[in-house]
Amino acid sequence: MIRRNTTLEITQLLEEFPAVGVLGPRQVGKTTLAQELAATMTPQPVYLDLESPRDQAKLSEPEAYFEFHPHQLIILDEIQRMPELFSILRGVIDRRRRQGQKTGQFLILGSASLDLLKQSSESLAGRIAYKELSGFNVLEIDPTTVIARELLWLRGGFPDSFLARSDAASLRWRLNFINTYLERDVPQFGPRIPAVTLRRLWTMLAYSQGGQLNMAQLGANLDIASPTVKRYIELLEDLLLIRTLRPWSGNIGKRLVRAPKVYIRDSGLTHALLNLSSLDDLWGHPVVGASWEGFVIENLLSVLPSGMTPWFYRTSAGAEIDLVIEKNRQQRYAIEIKRSQAPSVSKGFYLGCEDLQATKQFVVYSGTERFPISKSVTAVSLPEMMNEISRW
């Protein structure tokens, strides 16, 4: 069992809020985490899987059911299956508050952000805290072992993929995961979307990992209209499968790139879509650098404290920074990402740091040692950068 670093944070949120929502894609470990928490609690929480017809039937009269379990934490898994519960939860939470149960009433698990946030933003405002659960990150495995880090990069962070008995078994799991999402899960979130078209789009995004989003080009390649591409991209983002990283947009008198960069969030899914089954396959593929960049970004953002905003920076004149982490619109980390064991940075990185007046400047590379690249730039390992950000 690999203990998740978010367990303590979710426990703390349950001690502070009536409801806590844990968001993450399917199979990322939300249910396992909830059951771990439940095993330590008294009285024993009530667990309901809302994909189960039996558990759905228990909530035919939800208010009566919740009243039947006073002073117990109620875990609602796959809440997007019954979004109508949100309007009911508000009244239940307020009644329980008046009865003395101020916190720890509901733990809500969801596999999509759009429906969950849209429903709860109005009805549960001020009553719920959210925490996103990603796949395993580097600090949750053995961060001192380069081999473990490389395996996580290849297989991705989904527990069943990372812990598979072989690379081939891991790839089979990921391919099945992709098929299941396309054929079963995606159709429940809107009008019928052709699985073949969506898979082609997903694969195109894998080939252009970390590239700037060009709706017109994707539409032309898929023979669909740009608004349709936009809808598909937004759906994959709402399902927490891709990330669009926005460009920094402050007013510094420079011509800034406006299109976001798009990453498939799990490196293992990127490699599965490209049929890369081993590290040898990956090292010889043109996507290797972009894949490493996406892997590093997802790991860094998995430990990002609240109140910090991630961006990238690029000007038409060539100044470029892979990742900018901003705090209070004043303090900024500028982070360049390199796969090389002997990293260097371009003039464009220094120009970008000057434009942004970066507070600190780092290069995250695949090695383990910390060393200066220049007077202002330090090369660090991924685990060290994660620890640096989490303490900021």
Side-chain angles (χ1 to χ4, degrees):
M1 177 68 70
I2 296 178
R3 185 166 178 81
R4 307 306 303 269
N5 290 340
T6 52
T7 303
L8 178 59
E9 186 173 352
I10 293 170
T11 301
Q12 292 172 338
L13 290 173
L14 284 169
E15 294 171 352
E16 297 170 359
F17 289 86
V20 175
V22 179
L23 305 175
R26 286 184 179 277
Q27 303 297 318
V28 81
K30 299 185 299 297
T31 302
T32 301
L33 183 147
Q35 291 172 343
E36 263 187 69
L37 288 173
T40 66
M41 292 181 175
T42 304
Q44 188 70 19
V46 176
Y47 173 81
L48 296 174
D49 179 2
L50 300 186
E51 289 196 317
S52 162
R54 180 180 177 183
D55 284 354
Q56 286 183 3
K58 292 178 181 178
L59 294 178
S60 57
E61 296 289 342
E63 292 187 70
Y65 184 84
F66 297 149
E67 290 291 335
F68 188 69
H69 294 279
H71 307 294
Q72 286 178 275
L73 174 70
I74 297 175
I75 302 171
L76 301 174
D77 201 349
E78 301 297 350
I79 188 66
Q80 71 278 354
R81 289 288 189 173
M82 297 183 68
E84 65 275 12
L85 286 177
F86 280 113
S87 59
I88 296 167
L89 287 176
R90 176 177 179 171
V92 173
I93 286 172
D94 289 346
R95 280 196 299 275
R96 284 186 165 203
R97 275 174 157 177
R98 290 192 295 269
Q99 293 166 3
Q101 189 179 0
K102 304 291 187 182
T103 61
Q105 299 183 28
F106 292 93
L107 180 59
I108 298 169
L109 314 179
S111 296
S113 64
L114 177 65
D115 288 78
L116 199 59
L117 293 174
K118 181 186 291 185
Q119 293 288 334
S120 65
S121 60
E122 298 176 359
S123 58
L124 292 184
R127 300 168 178 83
I128 188 168
Y130 285 102
K131 178 63 183 176
E132 187 174 303
L133 183 67
S134 60
F136 291 146
N137 66 37
V138 165
L139 297 182
E140 292 173 326
I141 59 169
D142 185 353
T144 63
T145 305
V146 174
I147 294 175
R149 200 182 312 163
E150 299 282 282
L151 189 66
L152 182 64
W153 174 39
L154 171 67
R155 297 184 178 185
F158 286 96
D160 287 340
S161 176
F162 177 70
L163 298 172
R165 67 180 183 275
S166 66
D167 288 345
S170 171
L171 180 61
R172 282 194 296 272
W173 185 92
R174 282 174 276 141
L175 290 173
N176 183 68
F177 175 89
I178 291 168
N179 289 335
T180 301
Y181 248 99
L182 292 173
E183 294 169 6
R184 194 195 76 170
D185 296 323
V186 169
Q188 70 174 292
F189 289 99
R192 173 67 180 166
I193 297 176
V196 173
T197 302
L198 194 59
R199 187 188 183 101
R200 286 177 60 202
L201 172 60
W202 211 352
T203 304
M204 287 179 187
L205 295 176
Y207 274 104
S208 61
Q209 175 79 333
Q212 287 187 259
L213 182 58
N214 186 328
M215 300 281 193
Q217 185 62 53
L218 287 171
N221 291 339
L222 291 168
D223 196 26
I224 57 178
S226 293
T228 304
V229 174
K230 183 174 184 292
R231 181 164 60 90
Y232 290 1
I233 291 285
E234 289 173 348
L235 175 61
L236 290 174
E237 190 170 20
D238 290 330
L239 291 172
L240 307 172
L241 297 172
I242 68 171
R243 181 186 299 278
T244 54
L245 188 63
R246 306 293 172 180
W248 190 84
S249 56
N251 183 14
I252 58 171
K254 301 286 179 95
R255 292 183 61 190
L256 302 176
V257 167
R258 299 296 182 186
K261 290 165 62 170
V262 182
Y263 296 89
I264 294 176
R265 295 182 60 160
D266 183 77
S267 59
L269 294 185
T270 303
H271 304 152
L273 288 162
L274 300 177
N275 202 30
L276 303 175
S277 61
S278 68
L279 284 169
D280 280 343
D281 292 340
L282 178 54
W283 286 326
H285 196 278
V287 82
V288 61
S291 172
W292 174 254
E293 180 181 318
F295 174 71
V296 169
I297 287 174
E298 282 304 312
N299 273 270
L300 294 179
L301 298 190
S302 74
V303 297
L304 195 67
S306 59
M308 297 188 182
T309 308
W311 312 91
F312 76 94
Y313 180 79
R314 184 178 296 170
T315 70
S316 57
E320 182 174 358
I321 302 172
D322 290 333
L323 181 64
V324 176
I325 296 177
E326 188 172 55
K327 182 179 181 181
N328 300 327
R329 302 292 293 180
Q330 294 177 342
Q331 301 179 60
R332 301 183 184 99
Y333 277 13
I335 301 171
E336 190 74 0
I337 300 167
K338 299 292 185 182
R339 176 65 195 163
S340 169
Q341 289 283 327
S344 61
V345 293
S346 65
K347 181 181 178 182
F349 177 76
Y350 290 107
L351 290 174
C353 292
E354 185 179 332
D355 291 343
L356 295 178
Q357 299 181 338
T359 310
K360 293 188 177 182
Q361 303 165 29
F362 295 96
V363 174
V364 176
Y365 78 117
S366 57
T368 58
E369 297 182 1
R370 181 187 182 109
F371 60 90
I373 289 181
S374 68
K375 184 178 179 180
S376 58
V377 182
T378 304
V380 297
S381 68
L382 175 54
E384 187 172 355
M385 190 74 248
M386 292 171 72
N387 284 322
E388 172 85 20
I389 288 174
S390 64
R391 292 192 300 263
W392 190 21

